[in-house]
Amino acid sequence: MLIFFIPLKFLIKTKIAYPLALILIIVTSCNSPQQTPGNGTRNIEDMKGRTVRIPEKVEKVVAIGPGALRLLCYLQLTDKVAGIEELERRSGRPYAFANPELQNKPLIGPAFTGDAELIASHQPDLIVKTYTSPHEADKLQNKTNIPVVAIQYSSKRDEWKTLKKSLFFLGNVFNKTSRADSLISYFSNSIDTLHRLSSKTGAYPKVYAGGISHRGTHGFASTSIYYEPFEFVNAKNVASPLREKYDNMEELIVDPEQILIWDPETIFLDLAGIQLIKKDIQKYEELWGNIAALKNDQIYGIHPYNWYSVNYATTLVNAWYIGSVLYPEQFEKLNIEQKADEIYYQFLGDSVYKNMKDQYGPYHLINKDELTKKTTKHSE
């Protein structure tokens, strides 16, 4: 706050009443452009437009909501994490493989919301929260008496632009702007390279992503109308026309006959749901057996990217593998295991493709017989 001293003689000479002078002094100081409150704190505007006073230097933090902890891992802030949500103790996510020490952190309550009392008991300096409204963020802040910054994690139309904004914002909060800049530069260049390599062909195949996981695993008819790996390599997602009707849905279950009508040339299957996918294909084998991709053995396994919101590193790895399948000449030098480890290392500081392969299986061509052959009790 700025303090102004006005001599009493001046007030008498100018005939300004003292109360009015006091009001002018207060108004002037409140309109000061100074934003740093001092005493080791500063004001920031979060991604929901809220003004929040946070410590100048954050030593302990908790992350609430899908993707929140993942962003802290991307920015190499795991040493500051004071506790984790219950869901974060489950396996299957690259950032969990790369940071196993997180499993030993205290629990701060259930997924999406956490528990205010548990959070407060661990005395973090800051709470980072995704998928929240200003009202919900204020409510949690009032309950815990700990500053809460609300951030946006993903957007179905501009996921990577949203990721950039979130990394920039958190980079400023935690004084990690160099790390944020480095990661953004890496994945931006990688996406540009995918576009450039695939643009050389001039012929873009019709493709379908099946068994897409969202809030659990699903069968063959589960797909995404905004499957970004296809867009990165200029492939024609046969489900994309459904955006006009289902604009607000990132993933959806389509009618089995619709897939036959689309008749994709190449199919990519989410390996997390492979058992459900097999059951679906066997159930509708007479129908789906006429799809070009199944007839021509053009079915490939990819890793799940949607586990407590978007795993951006896996999305990028999937895009490189899909590019190598669709445009083998342009990607002839690609070794997908090496590329996967490179990407995971850039995002997470660790090469965790082996963990993903052990959990879900390798990226590979799936033989049609593997999908249509029924498992017998004897073989089990």
Side-chain angles (χ1 to χ4, degrees):
M1 179 179 292
L2 298 180
I3 301 175
F4 296 91
F5 295 95
I6 302 179
L8 181 60
K9 289 189 294 183
F10 175 80
L11 295 177
I12 296 172
K13 285 182 180 180
T14 55
K15 299 181 180 180
I16 297 176
Y18 181 77
L20 177 57
L22 181 60
I23 292 172
L24 289 173
I25 293 168
I26 294 172
V27 169
T28 304
S29 62
C30 288
N31 287 334
S32 168
Q34 187 173 344
Q35 295 180 354
T36 303
N39 298 322
T41 64
R42 57 185 168 132
N43 283 344
I44 62 163
E45 182 178 311
D46 72 9
M47 297 181 74
K48 293 293 183 178
R50 299 165 56 250
T51 298
V52 185
R53 179 174 291 191
I54 67 171
E56 188 67 41
K57 188 174 182 181
V58 177
E59 299 293 349
K60 294 173 66 178
V61 60
V62 297
I64 304 293
L69 181 60
R70 186 182 293 113
L71 286 178
L72 298 184
C73 292
Y74 287 171
L75 290 173
Q76 301 172 343
L77 293 165
T78 54
D79 60 318
K80 296 182 182 296
V81 175
I84 61 172
E85 297 169 286
E86 293 171 2
L87 180 144
E88 297 290 5
R89 286 193 173 172
R90 301 180 190 176
S91 64
R93 300 173 309 288
Y95 64 95
F97 291 137
N99 300 281
E101 72 280 2
L102 290 175
Q103 305 300 304
N104 299 321
K105 298 283 186 177
L107 292 178
I108 56 171
F112 295 97
T113 61
D115 179 276
E117 290 187 7
L118 275 176
I119 293 170
S121 71
H122 299 301
Q123 300 180 321
D125 303 317
L126 184 69
I127 299 169
V128 174
K129 197 172 192 309
T130 59
Y131 294 91
T132 189
S133 66
H135 172 73
E136 290 171 337
D138 286 340
K139 186 177 179 180
L140 180 60
Q141 183 167 288
N142 292 333
K143 280 185 175 181
T144 60
N145 199 30
I146 298 166
V148 176
V149 291
I151 61 173
Q152 188 174 356
Y153 183 75
S154 69
S155 168
K156 62 180 178 296
R157 292 182 178 178
D158 297 303
E159 283 188 340
W160 293 78
K161 288 182 180 179
T162 303
L163 175 62
K164 289 180 183 179
K165 292 177 183 177
S166 299
L167 289 173
F168 273 131
F169 172 76
L170 290 176
N172 179 53
V173 168
F174 290 95
N175 298 310
K176 281 277 191 175
T177 53
S178 294
R179 167 59 186 164
D181 290 343
S182 174
L183 182 55
I184 290 169
S185 177
Y186 173 78
F187 67 66
S188 297
N189 289 335
S190 187
I191 293 169
D192 288 345
T193 302
L194 287 167
H195 278 302
R196 177 174 52 81
L197 290 174
S198 57
S199 295
K200 293 180 178 180
T201 65
Y204 308 126
K206 295 192 304 179
V207 294
Y208 173 76
I212 297 298
S213 300
H214 54 98
R215 297 188 179 183
T217 55
H218 297 278
F220 187 64
S222 174
T223 191
S224 172
I225 57 179
Y226 293 100
Y227 193 62
E228 287 195 303
F230 289 162
E231 297 187 15
F232 291 167
V233 297
N234 296 293
K236 296 179 181 177
N237 183 356
V238 294
S240 61
L242 295 179
R243 295 177 186 178
E244 295 181 8
K245 188 175 182 180
Y246 301 101
D247 181 59
N248 293 323
M249 299 183 68
E250 296 178 35
E251 290 84 23
L252 69 159
I253 309 296
V254 298
D255 188 290
E257 293 188 3
Q258 182 60 61
I259 305 174
L260 178 61
I261 294 171
W262 284 333
D263 195 25
E265 301 167 69
T266 308
I267 291 174
F268 296 90
L269 300 177
D270 186 329
L271 290 171
I274 194 64
Q275 297 306 320
L276 294 175
I277 292 170
K278 287 180 180 180
K279 290 180 180 179
D280 271 359
I281 289 180
Q282 290 165 13
K283 181 179 180 180
Y284 296 101
E285 186 175 353
E286 292 186 4
L287 176 68
W288 285 336
N290 293 315
I291 295 175
L294 270 76
K295 289 192 295 185
N296 300 324
D297 284 324
Q298 289 298 303
I299 311 161
Y300 299 84
I302 53 177
H303 285 167
Y305 72 98
N306 199 17
W307 207 137
Y308 209 35
S309 200
V310 180
N311 282 283
Y312 286 98
T314 302
T315 300
L316 197 54
V317 177
N318 282 350
W320 277 93
Y321 178 67
I322 290 168
S324 71
V325 168
L326 300 179
Y327 315 108
E329 292 184 4
Q330 280 68 36
F331 291 80
E332 62 179 349
K333 295 181 180 180
L334 178 71
N335 179 310
I336 190 56
E337 294 198 6
Q338 291 178 0
K339 175 57 74 171
D341 275 339
E342 172 199 308
I343 292 170
Y344 284 128
Y345 185 83
Q346 290 292 331
F347 275 80
L348 299 166
D350 195 7
S351 302
V352 297
Y353 175 70
K354 182 182 184 301
N355 303 81
M356 294 292 287
K357 183 169 66 173
D358 290 345
Q359 181 92 13
Y360 303 108
Y363 288 97
H364 69 291
L365 172 68
I366 301 176
N367 189 287
K368 181 170 62 178
D369 293 339
E370 182 184 339
L371 295 173
T372 57
K373 184 178 180 181
K374 292 181 171 61
T375 303
T376 64
K377 291 183 179 180
H378 177 72
S379 64
E380 290 177 345

